[in-house]
Each structure stands twice: as C-alpha cells, then as structure tokens.
Amino acid sequence: MGTNLLSFIKNRQKLGYLTKGILICVFLTFFILCPIFSVFSESLMSVDGSFTFSNYTNAFSNEETGKAIWNSILLGLSVTALSTLIAVPEAYLLAKTRLRKLWWLDLVLMIPFMVPPYINSMGWMLFMQRNGVLWRNLPSLKPLATSFYSFFGMVWIMSMHTSPFLMTMLKNAFLSFPKSIDDASEVYVKSRFKKFFKVYAPILLPNFAIGAFLVFVKALSEYGTPATFGPQIGVSTFTTMITDKMQIAPIDFGTAASLASLLVFICMLLWALQMVITNKKAVSLKNEGESHYSKSYTVAIIGSIFLLTIFFFSAFIPLFTIVISSFKKVLYKNLSDAGNFTLENYQIAFSDDSGFGTGFEAIGNSFFIGIISSLIVLLLGLCFAFYSYKNKKKFLGRGVEFIDMLPQMIPNIVTGIGMIMFFNAIYKLFPVYRTFWMLIIGYSVVFLPGMVSYIKNALIQMPNSLLEAGEVYSKNEFRIDLRILLPQAIKGAFYGFAMTLIVTLRELVTAKLLQPPAFYTISLFIDSQFEQGNQQAAMALAVVSVAITLALLLPLEYISTKRKRKA
C-alpha cells in the first residue's frame, strides 16, 4: 500500500512537471520564438513568397548597407573601449581607495545611465551645435564644437551613458575580490601598477568580459543616439538602417529582416564567446571581509578630481543644456538675454496645439502601458522563475530558462520587427497588431528576462534545505510556491517590477516600431517634437521625463546601495 502511494505521488509530480513545462514552453514559443523565427523566415523569402537568398546578397552588395554594418561594429568596439577607459579607473577608485566610504558617489555616478540615451544625445546636440551653448558662451572653443559633430562625438555620447553600467559591475567585482589573495599580493607585489595587471586583471577578466559584452551589444543595438545624432553627421547603423527599411518608402521587409538576422547572429556569437571566456577563466569571488585599500589622501584627491570631471561631462552638461533650453523663447539666444526666459514651452508641450496630443496624454499613456506591462511581467516572471528554479537540473527547466532569457541576448529592435511580422501574419486569429495591446506584448517580452533575473537572484540566496523541507511536508506545489518561494522572491520581484516600469517609460525603439496610430508615449512625444523642429517643447517634456525617472530610480538605487553596505 505504501509503495503504491509513493509511486502515485511520484507519477503525479512527474505529470505536473511535464504539464507545466510543456504549457510554459508553448506560451514562450508563441510570444518569443515565433516572432524571432518570423524574422529569419522573412529574410529567406522573396516578394512572391518563394525561397531565396537574394535579400542577403542585396543587403551585402549594397554599399550603403555595408557601410552601416561596418559603422555599427566599429561603434560597438569604440564605445566598449572608451567605456572601459572610463569605468576601470572609476571602479578602482570607488573600491580600492578612501572614496569607497562615500556611498552616495554610486548614486551620483549612475545618473548618466538613468537618463535615456536619446535625451542625452539631444542635450549634447543643443550644447555643441552651431550657435549652441558652447558656441555662444565660449567662442574660442568653436573648433571643438564643430569637430564634435563626428563619429567620435557619437562614441563619446554613448560611452558617457554606458560607462556607469560597466563601472558598477567592475566595482562589485573589486569589492568581492578574495581577501586572502589580496593579502598575499600586498606581501609579494609592492607596485600598484604590477598588482593591478598581475593580480586583479586575470581574476576579474570574466566579470569584465560579461560587462564588455553587454556594453558592446547595447552599443550595437542602440537606436536612440544613432537616430538623433547619426543623421547630423551622415552616419547610419544597423538599427537606423533596419527602421528605415521598415518605415520609409520603398519599404523592404526582406532586407530589413536579413539585417536583423545578421544582428542576431553577431549578438549570439558574442554571447557564446563571453560564456566560453567566463567558464574557462571564472574564479569564485566571495567576500571574505574588508580587503586592503589605499589610504592615501593624494590618491583620493586625484581620484575625486577625475570622478568630478567624468560627472561634469557625462551628466551635468547634457542635463544643464536640456533644462535651460526648455525655458528659452528663442533657442539660439542665451537664457539671460532680455525676454528670452519663458514658460511657454511647457504650456506648448502640455497643450494639444502641436497635433501630437498633450504631454499629459503621453505621460498617461506611458504609465498605463508601463503598469500593465510591469504587472504581466511580474506574474510571468514569478511563474517562469519558480519553475526553472525548482527544475534547474531537468531538461524542460533548462529549456524554459533559455527561452525566457532569449530576449536579453538579442536587440530589442529585432524582437520588435519579429512581432510586427508574426502578429501581422496571424491578425485574423489574434487581432492585436496596430493596437495598444501590441505595445504591451512587446514590452512584456522585451523586459521579461530582467524580471526573471531579479527573482532568481533573490532565490539563489535561499538555502536548498528550505525547499526540500517544504516538499516533504506538502505535496501541493502551489502551496510550496506561495509559502516558501514567494516570501524569498518578493524583494527581487518588487525591484524587478519597479525597474520594468521605469524602463518602459523611457523605451524608444520598441515603442516606435509597435506604436498604434495616434498613440504617443513620453519617448515618442519627445522624439516627434524634436524631429519636427519644436526642440524647446521637446526639452520641456524631456525635463519632466528625466525628473520622473530620477524620482523613481534614485530611491531604488539608494535602498540597493544601503543593503549592500549592510551586507
């Protein structure tokens, strides 16, 4: 009798594992894999629907397309290199000098990453352009302003945005550096220069590889900066070329799909390379207590000057330019000039005279889409994270984990294009294309991996014995999830929900691709106003957008920093 009961319970558990796994995989296949496969299939189809490689041959034989591909790769490499030059000294100063005691520096230096990249680009353009802020107030630096409108200028703008992200990863790695190795290096390696390259660099290489890979992919797939700054210097990239092929006549879905497929191939190749480097060179970084750091006041003073300089260029200049431009009546005059200060730009931005709706509508639309998307992502993230965590050693568990993390490995623009092609093809069966539900689905898919990561990071800290004890005392999986996993995951889930909401408010490329007719979010409103030449009104709403982002994100970063300090 006991044996039969045990066998029944095991079979029931196995059936539950298979049923849930299959249902989750079907769901993920429909919303993630099918759109991605639609991009690949479209790239191999001619206009009449027959199989062909002509889309690839046409794309690669076209001089303009080849130049865009080269520009994207060069841009990714250049941004990664410059971000590294900025982030490595920053991380070292914040982890291995007296400056590590100033916890608020983390918050201040993360501000450039909190501001949307397209808004940063607009700020730099208004600062450096002819008759811009620099041009009028420091005439001797006109040659610098002129030379800024170049490929290096684009690299500079994007590096100012991505370097804080890389800095945070490297700083955490420095702080987790094994104290025993650090102590030994103090005895055997006296030179700080040799210590960095012979001790720190080899051990921190996997962390750097992960960060550098993410920065490269972000630069390669970035749309905001190339779309705003690129046309000013005559530089096109993967993303701008793809959107042009999708939105500007003559529309060429085949070429757009072939470029998107190539972009996916490059990103997946880099991801695999990063995994190889990480697995081969990985060293377990466990915090063994406070490690050695430089107590030199000279190093701290020089470091403070360096960090202040970086903050000035990465955050102060673009944000200052955006704020003063929002109060100008005439953009090409100084704010201090008689009669040039006005609040009319805010009135224009929040009125309906522009034909784009009001700024209030854009903000309301953004929060409406953001909150619904964040709630959907929260529920799906909990479901998928719990399943893959409990079945991480099983085939379906690993399959679910791979598929739900797939949108993080490929650019958002590819996901957006895939959704256009897939949901347009099944419109009669699933009529969401060209509705706000399309935008919600797009946001949910794009930001799902982030939520899953936050929840899993919270669950990793839970001892396995807790889950095993729950499985002994209850065979009801829902009760185990509710009583054991959910309390452990709640902090990560809350942080993931908040971050998802914040990112949806600033997302541009997904919104631009999946935008329903006459429907504007904050990012779309700012972009449209700026492109139409109403730059002051665009900057007025940009100020509001940045204020909302900082008001939501700074408290989260403060809580996160405070928790790390206690740990």
Side-chain angles (χ1 to χ4, degrees), residues 96 100 174-180 182-183 286-293 567:
K96 292 297 180 181
R100 66 188 287 169
F174 271 120
L175 291 175
S176 301
F177 196 86
K179 186 175 182 296
S180 54
D182 216 0
D183 292 341
K286 295 182 179 179
N287 199 332
E288 301 172 353
E290 187 175 83
S291 57
H292 292 283
Y293 66 94

Side-chain angles (χ1 to χ4, degrees), residues 186-200:
E186 286 291 318
V187 176
Y188 293 102
V189 184
K190 298 298 182 183
S191 169
R192 284 199 187 97
F193 185 80
K194 286 184 178 180
K195 182 178 180 180
F196 182 84
F197 284 99
K198 289 189 174 182
V199 180
Y200 290 127

Side-chain angles (χ1 to χ4, degrees), residues 358-375:
T358 69
F360 287 116
E361 289 177 2
I363 294 172
N365 290 339
S366 295
F367 273 99
F368 171 71
I369 297 293
I371 290 172
I372 293 178
S373 302
S374 300
L375 287 172

Side-chain angles (χ1 to χ4, degrees), residues 297-361:
Y297 283 102
T298 303
V299 173
I301 292 171
I302 295 173
S304 300
I305 295 172
F306 174 77
L307 295 178
L308 182 62
T309 303
I310 293 298
F311 176 79
F312 178 78
F313 284 107
S314 62
F316 180 80
I317 286 180
L319 291 179
F320 173 76
T321 305
I322 290 166
V323 172
I324 64 170
S325 298
S326 70
F327 291 106
K328 288 183 179 181
K329 193 168 189 176
V330 179
L331 188 62
Y332 301 112
K333 289 184 179 180
N334 287 325
L335 187 64
S336 57
D337 292 348
N340 202 36
F341 177 85
T342 182
L343 296 175
E344 289 180 2
N345 298 319
Y346 287 87
Q347 184 179 354
I348 293 171
F350 289 97
S351 68
D352 198 16
D353 297 334
S354 61
F356 298 110
T358 69
F360 287 116
E361 289 177 2

Side-chain angles (χ1 to χ4, degrees), residues 14 16-22 24-25 381-392 394-401 456 459 477 481 485:
K14 187 175 181 180
Y17 154 74
L18 289 173
T19 304
K20 288 181 181 178
I22 292 172
I24 291 173
C25 285
L382 287 170
C383 176
F384 300 159
F386 287 176
Y387 182 84
S388 57
Y389 178 80
K390 291 188 294 185
N391 303 286
K392 53 191 171 184
K394 297 179 181 178
F395 176 76
L396 280 178
R398 292 177 180 176
V400 168
E401 183 177 22
K456 282 186 178 178
L459 292 177
E477 287 198 33
D481 293 346
L485 294 182

Side-chain angles (χ1 to χ4, degrees), residues 110 113 161-170 210-211 214-215:
M110 280 300 292
F113 188 70
H161 176 73
T162 55
S163 58
F165 169 76
L166 184 58
M167 177 271 293
T168 301
M169 291 193 68
L170 293 177
I210 295 172
L214 293 174
V215 169

Side-chain angles (χ1 to χ4, degrees), residues 33 104 119 133 203 247 273 314 432 469:
L33 292 183
W104 51 268
I119 292 181
V133 176
I203 294 178
Q247 297 179 336
L273 181 63
S314 62
V432 297

